[in-house]
Amino acid sequence: MTTHSALIQQDIESYLQLHEQKDLLRFITCGNVDDGKSTLIGRLLHDSQSVYEDQLAAITNTNSSSGSNEVDLALLVDGLQSEREQGITIDVAYRFFSSQKRKFIIADTPGHEQYTRNMATGASSAQLAILLIDARYGVKEQTRRHSFICSLLGIRHFVVAINKMDLVSYREEVFQSIKSDFKNLAEQHFDEVECQFVPLSALSGDNVVNRSSKMDWYQGPTLLSILESVDIAPSTEVGGLRLPVQYVNRPNLDFRGYCGTLAAGQVKVGEAIKVLPSGQKSTVKEILVGDQYTENAQTGQAITLTLSDEIDISRGDLIVSDSDAVNVSNDFNAKIVWMNSDALVPDRQYRFKIGTRYVNGYVKSIHWQQNVNSLDRTETDNLPLNGIGEAHIVLAEKVSFDRYQDNRSTGSLIIIDRLSNATVGAGMISGPANQAANDDINVSTLKSVDSSVTTAMRAALKNHSGKCVWVSNTALGEQLEWELHKQGFHTYLIEANQSEYLTVLTLIDAGLIVITTGSDTLHTKLSQFLPDHQWINLNRQVLTEKLQQEITKLCRK
């Protein structure tokens, strides 16, 4: 390998020690077919001097035999024969490289819609997504689809790489136009996502590793500089201890250790813990990392715990802090990415893997399916291959879990076909399903007593009927309520959870303009009961004057 580090030749021990201390960034590249994903990765590997000499010689010979004088760096990633023949990426390809500041694992994913499941697989473990956009064509449906899937899978860092700038004469106005289009898209659909933009040419290497001399108008960092500096601290994960038990180590009668990788939080000797789903309690007696005893351990470390008490713990249990309130249920909602040619249908038995636990179960119902191109939701009774939707899952046994947005390790699941043992789906847990909330409920039960004051009379008195305005964040809700209040509307801002949807419906029935945020499951539940004229979905981040006027008009109806 041609490496930039002279330490390898001068002092290999110091180099390895320095290398071990670097943190690791996992990222995914995604974009339309022929947007240049594989070429970009090849360029990153080549310009960061992370390509073995025999690899470079092999692809050079391949190009020579095909009559080309240029080295196709995409061949460093596209290893399958069919990929090279078609010039596209089919399977997820992983590559490792490192720079002076950080180590990286890249997942190169296919761009074609029929390989959405492969793309979702690559995104499931990524911390950052590079979204490639062809500068000639701008934001396309595939951009929306990939952005949505990355957001759905919890990726909170987007790098929008506007590629092939060489084909548009490196013009700044092209870059600014695409940047503006994507920012509008992100503001409408992707909350809590940090976006950075970089113009580049993967083919010629402009702004990939080295700064381009052809785009002096761009003063931001290069792509590699962004990858080296982005903050990947798990700030959104729950802070409490989460240790899924992978293995019970009992080499002799004097030792009983519980092994696993810390999915969240930290653990220390003497800490009070409980084991879920059984709820048994004990304290940590010893902690081993490898064969070394230690006083504490952090997220990501593979450890073995011994406890002060002999309690029944087996593979699949979850060890948490005694003070933590963790969901324990056999009944929950989850967003599903379906990966099998046979559609997901309710009531069919599957095997589910949550953390390190396997349990049988079935899908009770499918709430909705999301069109990954238009991002619209529609009712459905099945999920086809590559379909994405939310389902109500019922298991044969209780399991412990977190919401996926709180912890990707303890909030995710895979669905396994019981006959073929093949993985047929992946899921992100939204939260426990409230049984009462999922039963069919007559909204008329909201009227607790017969009253001579009707809903229409309340509306006439207030000069508007009750409505629900769904907003993306509380700050926007506060601003909107103030503006509506100044115009004489009777409003109520509330942060409700799924189980409180009846409260929201009651307030609407009372004639109020209810402004609320909440989970997707609450959104789904409310939209089931409210007619279109009482439902305003404000999927925006900023309240503009024009938008304010439109909402006022809708509230007057």
Side-chain angles (χ1 to χ4, degrees):
M1 177 185 287
T2 56
T3 178
H4 49 265
S5 178
L7 270 178
I8 286 184
Q9 296 181 355
Q10 297 172 359
D11 187 350
I12 186 64
E13 293 296 334
S14 298
Y15 172 79
L16 293 175
Q17 186 176 10
L18 180 66
H19 191 71
E20 185 180 2
Q21 294 173 351
K22 297 177 184 175
D23 60 358
L24 175 67
L25 172 66
R26 295 174 180 268
F27 68 91
I28 181 177
T29 59
C30 43
N32 197 8
V33 176
D34 289 335
D35 275 355
K37 300 181 293 300
S38 299
T39 302
L40 176 64
I41 295 175
R43 175 59 65 182
L44 267 174
L45 296 173
H46 181 269
D47 288 4
S48 62
Q49 300 181 349
S50 301
V51 181
Y52 289 101
E53 293 175 351
D54 60 331
Q55 289 178 320
L56 192 59
I59 62 171
T60 301
N61 293 336
T62 300
N63 283 272
S64 298
S65 61
S66 62
S68 173
N69 294 324
E70 296 183 356
V71 177
D72 184 0
L73 296 176
L75 298 181
L76 288 169
V77 182
D78 290 338
L80 297 178
Q81 183 66 31
S82 54
E83 290 177 326
R84 295 191 176 194
E85 289 173 354
Q86 299 180 57
I88 63 172
T89 300
I90 296 176
D91 200 1
V92 182
Y94 294 93
R95 289 293 182 273
F96 172 86
F97 78 102
S98 67
S99 69
Q100 294 280 15
K101 299 179 179 177
R102 184 171 270 176
K103 296 179 285 190
F104 304 95
I105 293 179
I106 317 170
D108 182 27
T109 61
H112 198 280
E113 185 172 1
Q114 75 181 89
Y115 301 120
T116 294
R117 56 180 173 176
N118 304 44
M119 187 265 171
T121 301
S124 63
S125 60
Q127 299 156 297
L128 177 147
I130 297 178
L131 299 162
L132 267 83
I133 298 177
D134 191 322
R136 296 171 297 175
Y137 308 124
V139 175
K140 310 294 286 186
E141 280 194 352
Q142 285 83 350
T143 309
R144 298 164 60 93
R145 174 159 50 89
H146 292 158
S147 303
F148 166 72
I149 295 173
C150 289
S151 174
L152 177 70
L153 290 167
I155 299 177
R156 293 293 172 258
H157 300 283
F158 285 0
V159 178
V160 183
I162 301 170
N163 192 24
K164 303 188 181 182
M165 289 296 294
D166 52 319
L167 299 182
V168 294
S169 305
Y170 300 102
R171 286 179 292 148
E172 181 181 6
E173 59 268 28
V174 175
F175 169 72
Q176 295 296 349
S177 175
I178 297 173
K179 178 180 177 180
S180 176
D181 290 344
F182 189 88
K183 288 179 72 173
N184 289 335
L185 173 68
E187 289 174 356
Q188 293 177 26
H189 298 289
F190 312 126
D191 294 335
E192 301 177 359
V193 172
E194 178 191 64
C195 298
Q196 298 191 66
F197 300 83
V198 56
L200 55 83
S201 169
L203 187 64
S204 57
D206 294 293
N207 285 338
V208 179
V209 173
N210 304 309
R211 180 167 294 282
S212 172
S213 60
K214 300 164 186 170
M215 290 180 276
D216 293 337
W217 46 264
Y218 175 72
Q219 301 299 316
T222 63
L223 177 61
L224 182 61
S225 297
I226 294 174
L227 298 177
E228 288 179 327
S229 60
V230 67
D231 181 10
I232 56 174
S235 57
T236 61
E237 307 241 309
V238 293
L241 164 65
R242 299 288 187 275
L243 178 64
V245 177
Q246 179 79 24
Y247 174 65
V248 179
N249 186 11
R250 190 169 175 80
N252 54 62
L253 294 176
D254 299 325
F255 185 89
R256 183 182 178 92
Y258 308 101
C259 311
T261 300
L262 266 180
Q266 57 181 339
V267 61
K268 57 186 178 182
V269 173
E271 181 172 350
I273 60 93
K274 62 183 174 185
V275 182
L276 299 176
S278 67
Q280 298 178 92
K281 298 182 179 181
S282 184
T283 55
V284 177
K285 180 181 179 183
E286 297 167 316
I287 303 172
L288 289 97
V289 178
D291 59 354
Q292 302 295 316
Y293 287 92
T294 182
E295 289 296 312
N296 55 69
Q298 313 295 326
T299 302
Q301 287 188 292
I303 63 172
T304 299
L305 296 184
T306 65
L307 303 179
S308 302
D309 305 286
E310 289 286 341
I311 58 177
D312 182 16
I313 303 176
S314 58
R315 173 185 167 87
D317 288 342
L318 182 68
I319 297 176
V320 303
S321 298
D322 183 30
S323 57
D324 278 357
V326 181
N327 297 307
V328 178
S329 176
N330 65 335
D331 193 17
F332 54 83
N333 294 319
K335 295 184 178 68
I336 303 295
V337 179
W338 193 244
M339 302 177 173
N340 195 39
S341 54
D342 293 333
L344 170 68
V345 292
D347 299 328
R348 181 176 176 181
Q349 292 288 325
Y350 295 99
R351 194 162 173 77
F352 294 81
K353 181 176 184 291
I354 302 176
T356 55
R357 187 181 184 90
Y358 289 86
V359 59
N360 293 330
Y362 65 95
V363 170
K364 182 176 181 180
S365 61
I366 301 174
H367 298 157
W368 43 260
Q369 181 180 355
Q370 188 125 20
N371 184 318
V372 293
N373 294 320
S374 66
L375 304 184
D376 294 331
R377 292 177 178 177
T378 56
E379 293 185 1
T380 184
D381 57 3
N382 68 80
L383 271 186
L385 174 65
N386 294 319
I388 296 176
E390 186 180 71
H392 179 189
I393 295 173
V394 178
L395 304 180
E397 304 170 20
K398 288 187 177 181
V399 297
S400 50
F401 57 84
D402 291 297
R403 296 188 307 166
Y404 184 80
Q405 65 188 75
D406 295 330
N407 190 300
R408 295 171 73 175
S409 297
T410 53
S412 59
L413 58 89
I414 62 173
I415 307 173
I416 303 167
D417 186 281
R418 297 178 64 185
L419 297 178
S420 66
N421 210 33
T423 299
V424 292
M428 290 71 67
I429 298 175
S430 309
N434 185 309
Q435 189 62 47
N438 283 282
D439 290 335
D440 291 335
I441 294 176
N442 189 340
V443 183
S444 62
T445 59
L446 296 174
K447 299 175 182 176
S448 57
V449 295
D450 291 332
S451 172
S452 57
V453 179
T454 65
T455 300
M457 293 168 67
R458 297 190 191 102
L461 183 64
K462 295 180 174 64
N463 201 26
H464 63 77
S465 61
K467 290 181 175 59
C468 180
V469 184
W470 188 271
V471 295
S472 57
N473 59 72
T474 304
L476 180 59
E478 291 174 349
Q479 183 183 1
L480 178 61
E481 184 183 30
W482 177 244
E483 295 296 333
L484 292 175
H485 176 77
K486 287 193 297 184
Q487 297 178 53
F489 288 97
H490 294 239
T491 60
Y492 198 93
L493 175 63
I494 182 173
E495 290 188 29
N497 57 43
Q498 181 193 0
S499 62
E500 295 169 326
Y501 78 101
L502 285 175
T503 302
V504 176
L505 292 175
T506 302
L507 294 173
I508 295 170
D509 192 56
L512 298 178
I513 304 294
V514 179
I515 304 166
T516 183
T517 61
S519 65
D520 288 342
T521 49
L522 174 63
H523 180 288
T524 303
K525 183 57 66 178
L526 288 174
S527 61
Q528 290 176 3
F529 291 113
L530 293 172
D532 290 343
H533 71 276
Q534 283 190 301
W535 180 254
I536 302 172
N537 194 344
L538 182 56
N539 201 356
R540 297 288 192 279
Q541 296 293 322
V542 179
L543 185 65
T544 63
E545 183 177 352
K546 181 180 179 182
L547 186 59
Q548 167 64 41
Q549 293 172 353
E550 291 177 359
I551 295 171
T552 302
K553 187 177 180 181
L554 291 172
C555 288
R556 288 291 183 200
K557 289 185 177 179

